[in-house]
Amino acid sequence: MRPLIHPTIEDITVEGILHALSDPVRVAIYAELAGATCTNICSNFLQISDRNIPKSTLSQHFRALREAGLVRSERHGVEMHNTSRCHEIEQRFPGLLPAILNAHRVQAAGRTRAVKRKQATARKQGG
């Protein structure tokens, strides 16, 4: 097996973080990890926002998050345990991750409201 790459805190860049979190699936995964109190295995994320994510795609998402320095991954048998590096990144770039995660929550809440409005409109038109 190839070794896992984890950049040092000094090698983590704002550009790398923003690039990794520019994908909606990755930012959803990271938001979950950032709010978790313990490690999460990759298979916990096979469904994100009502979308099924293939294992191979999920592996690529975790690799992007890991290489950007956002998560630390450890192999335990066949499972990969992942934890957020929020505290380290907060020391390097104060306020960056809370701002991104807050924006993600606001955006996700807006999408949820839009879906509910659309469903309510469809029910009214259908009934």
Side-chain angles (χ1 to χ4, degrees), residues 25 29 42-43 45-48 51-62:
V25 172
I29 290 169
C42 295
S43 60
F45 299 95
L46 290 171
Q47 187 167 10
I48 298 286
R51 294 171 36 189
N52 292 324
I53 311 296
K55 285 183 180 181
S56 59
T57 303
L58 197 55
S59 293
Q60 294 304 312
H61 286 310
F62 272 98

Side-chain angles (χ1 to χ4, degrees), residues 51-126:
R51 294 171 36 189
N52 292 324
I53 311 296
K55 285 183 180 181
S56 59
T57 303
L58 197 55
S59 293
Q60 294 304 312
H61 286 310
F62 272 98
R63 189 181 103 215
L65 292 170
R66 187 172 51 252
E67 290 179 354
L70 291 163
V71 300
R72 183 166 305 282
S73 302
E74 294 180 16
R75 287 189 179 99
H76 292 266
V78 295
E79 295 179 337
M80 189 77 74
H81 291 243
N82 302 283
T83 54
S84 166
R85 294 178 70 185
C86 284
H87 298 295
E88 293 174 78
I89 295 169
E90 181 64 21
Q91 291 176 352
R92 179 155 167 80
F93 303 115
L96 177 66
L97 291 179
I100 292 170
L101 293 173
N102 184 53
H104 171 70
R105 279 190 292 276
V106 169
Q107 181 174 283
R111 285 183 183 149
T112 300
R113 284 191 301 274
V115 167
K116 287 181 181 179
R117 279 194 305 270
K118 189 175 182 180
Q119 290 171 342
T121 301
R123 279 193 301 270
K124 287 179 184 177
Q125 292 175 351

